[in-house]
Amino acid sequence: MSKRVVTFGEIMLRLAPEGYNRFLQAQSFGAVYGGGEANVAVSLAQLGLDAAYITKLPAHELGQAAVNTLRAVGVDTGGIIRGGDRIGIYFFERGASQRPSKVIYDRANSAFALSKAEEYDWERIFEEADWFHLTGITPALSEELARVSIEAVKTAKRLGLTVSCDINYRAKLWDKATAGRVMSEILSNTDIYIGGRGQAEDLFGIRAELKSEDDYDAYKPVAEELVRRFGLKKVSITLRTTVSSDRNKWAALLYDGKNHFISREYDISIVDRVGGGDSFAAGLIYALEEGMNTRSAVEFAAAASCLKLTVEGDANFVTADEVKALAFGSGSAQVQR
Amino acid sequence: MSKRVVTFGEIMLRLAPEGYNRFLQAQSFGAVYGGGEANVAVSLAQLGLDAAYITKLPAHELGQAAVNTLRAVGVDTGGIIRGGDRIGIYFFERGASQRPSKVIYDRANSAFALSKAEEYDWERIFEEADWFHLTGITPALSEELARVSIEAVKTAKRLGLTVSCDINYRAKLWDKATAGRVMSEILSNTDIYIGGRGQAEDLFGIRAELKSEDDYDAYKPVAEELVRRFGLKKVSITLRTTVSSDRNKWAALLYDGKNHFISREYDISIVDRVGGGDSFAAGLIYALEEGMNTRSAVEFAAAASCLKLTVEGDANFVTADEVKALAFGSGSAQVQR
Amino acid sequence: MSKRVVTFGEIMLRLAPEGYNRFLQAQSFGAVYGGGEANVAVSLAQLGLDAAYITKLPAHELGQAAVNTLRAVGVDTGGIIRGGDRIGIYFFERGASQRPSKVIYDRANSAFALSKAEEYDWERIFEEADWFHLTGITPALSEELARVSIEAVKTAKRLGLTVSCDINYRAKLWDKATAGRVMSEILSNTDIYIGGRGQAEDLFGIRAELKSEDDYDAYKPVAEELVRRFGLKKVSITLRTTVSSDRNKWAALLYDGKNHFISREYDISIVDRVGGGDSFAAGLIYALEEGMNTRSAVEFAAAASCLKLTVEGDANFVTADEVKALAFGSGSAQVQR
Amino acid sequence: MSKRVVTFGEIMLRLAPEGYNRFLQAQSFGAVYGGGEANVAVSLAQLGLDAAYITKLPAHELGQAAVNTLRAVGVDTGGIIRGGDRIGIYFFERGASQRPSKVIYDRANSAFALSKAEEYDWERIFEEADWFHLTGITPALSEELARVSIEAVKTAKRLGLTVSCDINYRAKLWDKATAGRVMSEILSNTDIYIGGRGQAEDLFGIRAELKSEDDYDAYKPVAEELVRRFGLKKVSITLRTTVSSDRNKWAALLYDGKNHFISREYDISIVDRVGGGDSFAAGLIYALEEGMNTRSAVEFAAAASCLKLTVEGDANFVTADEVKALAFGSGSAQVQR
Amino acid sequence: MSKRVVTFGEIMLRLAPEGYNRFLQAQSFGAVYGGGEANVAVSLAQLGLDAAYITKLPAHELGQAAVNTLRAVGVDTGGIIRGGDRIGIYFFERGASQRPSKVIYDRANSAFALSKAEEYDWERIFEEADWFHLTGITPALSEELARVSIEAVKTAKRLGLTVSCDINYRAKLWDKATAGRVMSEILSNTDIYIGGRGQAEDLFGIRAELKSEDDYDAYKPVAEELVRRFGLKKVSITLRTTVSSDRNKWAALLYDGKNHFISREYDISIVDRVGGGDSFAAGLIYALEEGMNTRSAVEFAAAASCLKLTVEGDANFVTADEVKALAFGSGSAQVQR
Amino acid sequence: MSKRVVTFGEIMLRLAPEGYNRFLQAQSFGAVYGGGEANVAVSLAQLGLDAAYITKLPAHELGQAAVNTLRAVGVDTGGIIRGGDRIGIYFFERGASQRPSKVIYDRANSAFALSKAEEYDWERIFEEADWFHLTGITPALSEELARVSIEAVKTAKRLGLTVSCDINYRAKLWDKATAGRVMSEILSNTDIYIGGRGQAEDLFGIRAELKSEDDYDAYKPVAEELVRRFGLKKVSITLRTTVSSDRNKWAALLYDGKNHFISREYDISIVDRVGGGDSFAAGLIYALEEGMNTRSAVEFAAAASCLKLTVEGDANFVTADEVKALAFGSGSAQVQR
């Protein structure tokens, strides 16, 4: 079994007004193709792992452009199903200072959202893979995709893959009760839990009692309860503090069932805030696949996501050496000549 | 009754790769908002008429941007219904020479396509108006909109408005039988027919027996048959010849029930080929509203659409003086200082 | 009497080198149309009020483009006079960090600057309006416009409109003595005074004795003295601290004759520093027109101008909901999905 | 006396919407600095002559940017007077096909237009120069500049310089009677006449009796009459035919008092139509300064202006070798590797 | 043996001023990665064949960007050697009308040009391949690469691959005698000869006696002599006529040892003239791999290269269906909706 | 002897992805021409000194573009040698926050790097000059250029010029031993030493014993030892602290053999970090040429480099007045109207 990571989800066309223009001011939109799981795949491929991405995309040129985006960085797109009518779209308006970023989703009825269970042959998809990653967005897109997601993690577990799941709870996509039920079943088949600060509370009522916004220790009991409840092997919680649209603080906690490690905290001037969590997931998967210990893994993953926020687009265009230089090196921001 | 023209249809977000980039090469998309009937309204307002536009658009910023585009040039947007989820989108790849332009439509399930008959109060909409213009695209979008369109033209006729209809038959949107039936009913309540070369044949089997591509006289019997069949007052047929993606020839025929007039033929280096027919319709409506005779009207309308093809975007940014200078003046392309 | 606000002044073509290019490096200029009172009108229209804008613009395309900019967001441009030769221009070089922004004005001899008293029929202009807003720039442009401004505020008062005036003293446009005399006469017919930190001192010698730059209480006696001297109903003073070209602190004081309220202070990473005061004026007018109390009004106005500094261009592209979310809500800069 | 050419006139900031956008669609303007005589100087410097340019420009950054534009290509700007308030501006909308290009001038009250005779010390300016070139635009800008122009050509003649004058009659700048009188006095002190097709008729009533638009021989008697009337040494007439905004035909006639030579005719797909005549003048001056015979000179000048129309901006960015390759070489448009 | 085509050569960073800017006017350069053989690989992959590309590229990000460009469209880059210092660069200035395009090469000392024979293991490279394509540029880059090229074609022949060679003679890269000797040895191991009009004469003195520029029959004896001399299976000659920088005519001849077929002639408005020959080669290889007969193959290849000239960049972004529609269909340039 | 400064070194084409794009994301590169000594010349010319620049550049258009860049701001380029094949290139990726900027050099084998001693006639070059400036980059480019640099400083000293040298040690360009030996010989002929924080230690083992990063006093003994060792007249050390890629602190120390002065410290939001040291050198040279005392000189130079970091490109586009306003004025970043 080689180090091959399979991810599964929806890749969308992201359209963003240039610079700080608001939607009402835009005369053009920068276009990239991204989505939670695709961002993980793109990041993993650039970190140096064998990454495969499973989705469904229309046969037309916009679907092809999404495929090409993935292939360019070396993601294996051989398992992508082609068909259906439309690619999901999301419009992204970049915020600034006190003005928040804004997203208009136009993803309903996409080829992926309408895809069917019988289109995915998980046994074949998982051949030669040792890791499967998904997020809580995919099961939220349709009841069918919720069933598909559960089937996927169960198959993965049965075949001996490590399963990681990024909670990514979006209240607008599904109701809390359904989400809690489906995610519980998925997490029961998951090894590595990844989630943002409040998500365990939102979905499962597991609340961190914060003394202050940077009271990161407060998340330790949350991680422990998650392990207890779902039989997880590791729990990671990303600790983002939104100082403003331009500035975030970022750290992360990783609990391996025995010990908790909290990474350095980064104070970040943001270039593009999208994909922070995805780059963390990719960093964590890479670190664990490479055999790093818990402390190193959380540092690597946090540094990877710190760098993501300094890179344009949804996906993390950084190498493992760049991440290591930040995570374990001097962290100097001097020019590299 | 003042000279106020009401148009009704769908305005979409058009996304086009910059320059001659193909979809697969696009890293950004130029954005304009347009659609057949909206283009007519925009053109009419800039020619100097009072133009109102009726549609349904989502309440979010992309819907608002479409409204702002219309308001900027003076279109009355007071009758636009706000609601629903999405604005229709179309992707436009500009062709060149032997490579044809390409359109990917993503307009299904738009706020307008899902709008209902009861949302439109035609009596109120037509207050103070003397002209109603629609196209064959709107009734093709849903059975509901077919009913709405028929109701609209009937109400318009009853209230004494002049009704113009641009056939704009799109085989991908509806089947021929339905189209023929619905359009027949609409045309039976129409005064001014506007259509491209082959559309009377496509829809109604009224065929022009061309001796050569520029045998424009061959369309005279077509016009006469259309008048006979639907009781029309005037029939105009636009005579586009696609020499290449960059070059079109353009002329038009106008039949007023007695006489046929064929405009000058323009040999055009194209800047943006979209909206040629719409600018013709607007030119014709303006000319007739202004009381031009048949000969002048067809020259004005043909000149208007010639100029449109030299202007970026869906809509015709020209003034009546500019059109007249081309239609009736020296037609010099020397710099105007 | 409906809630209709009339503003009066000059709208100019603003030409700004792209990004951080200096004038000497510019190969292109971004173009928007703006000016103090126009910015107020644009902001009011987007906040949701009925806003009319009075000016004079040349009949050519650049004048039309200014009109279209205003119409796009719903400003009533029906009262704009067309004629004259040129539109005023200003060139704006965006500063950065310790490098200040720079403006080169080229506004002399504009259509507006040369316009005459007899071109403005204030009684007709104020029909159906309940508020008139002007700034100290307009009377500075010519002796004629000083007379026109005085006539305008007197007519407005006589007709029962609320009058607001943003001092906006520009030492380069007129001498202090004239400015003091004219502005005194205007303020004597004004209800709501709006001014920056040092302007009461510059024009009228009313000095704030600051203990430190953020000693905002020191402006309370200034406000009181202004009320005393001119019989104003309310005095607002914007409290901008220029930390650097990229970073400003922003707060405001509003005195209603009885109580002083000082808003929250915002620490702002600036996208475009132009129009901060104008957006404050618009925010204040909106808040008072909507019936907010003094405390809420100053918070709303300060939040509006904070958001303006995060938006490209002269004018404030924000909705009342967005302002309220910042002024009265959690103020989170998290992505709004 | 070295080969040094002095030119004198106004350089303006040209602002042009990107691509084929109309003024009403422009969100940015490309910026170059140009003007008839400046274009000649820029072209001469790049052809390899010593070229000096005399004008007056404001001391601010836009004036400096104009100076830098000239210095970049090696024009001697040491004689440029700095002072005054504004630089002249012209807005240029690029036409296409049947849609003509459009210019909005905003040059009144520029530093140059308001400059005074005493600011120009022609004896010092002409030190070391052997050629003086001016155009009919400068004397049209003010009565003062008409006097200055006459003084300049008289001084140049007295000091033994060759004087060339490009008629460039602009009916909007001055009335025909004044123009005729002033230009007659200038031409009486001129050696080399340069003018477009109809200009001798417009100004002096010397009419070509054309049998067809390409009846270039019809201009021979015009040239002869000009020599007779003003005692000129050489007369050149540029023969532009405006097929469309995108396509011009271009040839030229040169009469040396004995023989007429008509150059090859070029059929040109236009990139930027501005500065065609200026590049011709520069080509002619260069050719004559280099000692080419009449036939070669007109071919060189015509080829230079043909190339100009394929180059962006006002000025001709071509080398003498490139012009010679077109004028006298194979004229191949194959890639030069 | 599957249908897998191996190509071998140098991919460079192409830097081109935007639009029609000359090098001296460029403030930015559009960047694509291309080169003769890489363009063939990119085109083949998009036509639908399995295409592998062999080269050497530096390990740094520019080398990686070239790899990503190839991977994006599906080219197999697994055989690319990474190492060395620099990627070859060429600067491309787009010509217009009578002004020719210009190339400045900066390719000396590239990683590829300095690569060594022992870095290429041809037996391994050709595993599973059935076709090998190279051009005359590679052996011109160094004596070592000449030896490598000869070894490659000999190995390919020995292993039973079809070998195609595009002559692409560049007089600046090597002297004629060496070129003639090396290319003779390569062609003696080649099945399919591809060359431009004059190249057989330039290299081997085989001259076409043209009666006029479109006397394509004159190339038939050339093709026959090439077959005789080198034992080729097929000879194709591309017939480009450079009307101007913007307009080329394009046709091609294919001789299969028995019959000659000359394709339709295309009159093309050019978007990007680079890569015409490469797209022809790719079209021909695809057609022959797909089993088309001689007549169809030359039509397909000519249509492919016609379309290339309408596409931005070095490489041909078209599908086999698009080529077939032009080669064998109606060839309509109407919008494809 | 007038105030004329000669600088000598390599000017390169800098290619930088737009905005924050990484190399792998770049579809275009912004282009400027710069290099250490050229940046000094450009800055000096804009500050108002007579600046001459000596280098070797290829005769092609890219070499010419570099010359034009220098001429535009008034640098004397008369001494530039034209010839050779290529211009050095460097690719610059702008960092952000924790992500460092990155440079890929492609400068080997440039026309300058291969230039020969006999091409430089220093006696002629130094005619009328009173100052010579070079950096430690030039002698690192080749052994020949090391010899040329030594010859240049010796000739300059012999002719009585002031010599300044910016250490600029680049470990990748040459080994430490050679660098130490060559730079020692150069510094023995130098009056003004300019260097960054650690460079005296790197090259000569003269170590500052810092108690903290802002313990600027620790550099005083370093300056004293440099004076002792090389007989320098003045030593300046720039004190940059790289807080992040977007934010630097900047101060400087100047020791005149008697007294040490440390400038104000600037906390800078960076627009373009390249050329900070060069702008400091230019500021220092200007200040000393203008006769400022040590304290003023270091304040002027530090302010100049602070402003540079707020300006796009390699070179400092600021005037002496702007620097003085920051160094000695209120330092306000308010808009300058």
Side-chain angles (χ1 to χ4, degrees), chain B residues 124-299:
Chain B
R124 192 184 50 71
I125 289 166
F126 290 143
E127 274 170 24
E128 304 192 46
D130 74 331
W131 195 295
F132 177 55
H133 175 75
L134 85 169
T135 80
I137 293 173
T138 301
L141 295 179
S142 72
E143 285 182 39
E144 180 92 7
L145 284 170
R147 280 191 297 273
V148 170
S149 299
I150 291 167
E151 183 199 340
V153 293
K154 286 188 173 169
T155 310
K157 286 307 295 177
R158 181 164 47 79
L159 296 173
L161 284 75
T162 301
V163 173
S164 56
C165 177
D166 185 342
I167 298 303
N168 241 327
Y169 171 57
R170 301 279 169 83
K172 282 197 188 161
L173 290 176
W174 52 350
D175 69 280
K176 210 164 184 166
T178 311
R181 185 176 44 73
V182 171
M183 291 310 294
S184 292
E185 190 159 359
I186 288 174
L187 288 179
S188 302
N189 290 282
T190 291
D191 301 286
I192 316 287
Y193 169 105
I194 301 165
R197 275 174 176 246
Q199 304 213 313
E201 182 180 356
D202 289 345
L203 265 187
F204 308 116
I206 308 173
R207 181 183 173 84
E209 302 293 341
L210 290 169
K211 288 175 199 127
S212 64
E213 199 164 20
D214 61 351
D215 175 17
Y216 300 149
D217 286 335
Y219 292 97
K220 291 180 178 174
V222 175
E224 290 162 14
E225 171 60 18
L226 284 164
V227 165
R228 250 190 312 275
R229 199 176 296 188
F230 299 111
L232 300 154
K233 294 207 184 110
K234 289 193 175 61
V235 168
S236 60
I237 299 176
T238 55
L239 303 161
R240 185 198 288 247
T241 306
T242 301
V243 181
S244 75
S245 284
D246 305 315
R247 190 175 155 222
N248 281 189
K249 292 185 182 173
W250 187 278
L253 172 153
L254 179 57
Y255 174 59
D256 60 11
K258 287 192 194 154
N259 297 303
H260 293 276
F261 295 92
I262 294 176
S263 75
R264 287 166 56 191
E265 181 186 77
Y266 296 97
D267 190 344
I268 309 168
S269 294
I270 294 180
V271 169
D272 191 321
R273 73 170 312 296
V274 179
D278 305 326
S279 60
F280 177 84
L284 188 64
I285 295 168
Y286 176 85
L288 296 175
E289 283 276 52
E290 290 297 295
M292 292 187 198
N293 62 27
T294 308
R295 182 192 303 273
S296 294
V298 71
E299 289 292 357

Side-chain angles (χ1 to χ4, degrees), chain B residues 267 310 317 322 336-337, chain D residues 22 99 102-103 105 172:
Chain B
D267 190 344
T310 74
F317 274 71
E322 290 175 322
Q336 301 193 333
R337 296 176 191 268
Chain D
R22 303 214 68 184
R99 178 168 60 78
K102 221 165 202 178
V103 172
Y105 282 106
K172 282 195 187 161

Side-chain angles (χ1 to χ4, degrees), chain D residues 8-10 36-37 107 112 133-142 145-146 149 153 164-171 173-175 178-180 182-184 186-187 190 193-195 199 203-204 278:
Chain D
F8 169 59
E10 178 164 27
E37 307 81 358
R107 67 193 298 176
F112 182 71
H133 176 75
L134 85 170
T135 81
I137 293 172
T138 300
L141 295 179
S142 73
L145 283 170
S149 298
V153 293
S164 56
C165 178
D166 185 342
I167 297 306
N168 241 328
Y169 171 59
R170 301 278 170 83
L173 289 176
W174 53 350
D175 69 280
T178 312
V182 171
M183 291 311 291
S184 292
I186 287 173
L187 288 179
T190 292
Y193 169 105
I194 301 164
Q199 303 213 313
L203 265 187
F204 308 117
D278 306 326

Side-chain angles (χ1 to χ4, degrees), chain E residues 40-74:
Chain E
V40 172
V42 167
S43 184
L44 286 173
Q46 296 196 94
L47 289 170
L49 285 195
D50 179 5
Y53 179 64
I54 307 298
T55 191
K56 184 174 178 185
L57 280 167
H60 62 44
E61 285 91 340
L62 302 176
Q64 188 62 44
V67 170
N68 288 10
T69 294
L70 295 162
R71 285 200 298 204
V73 295

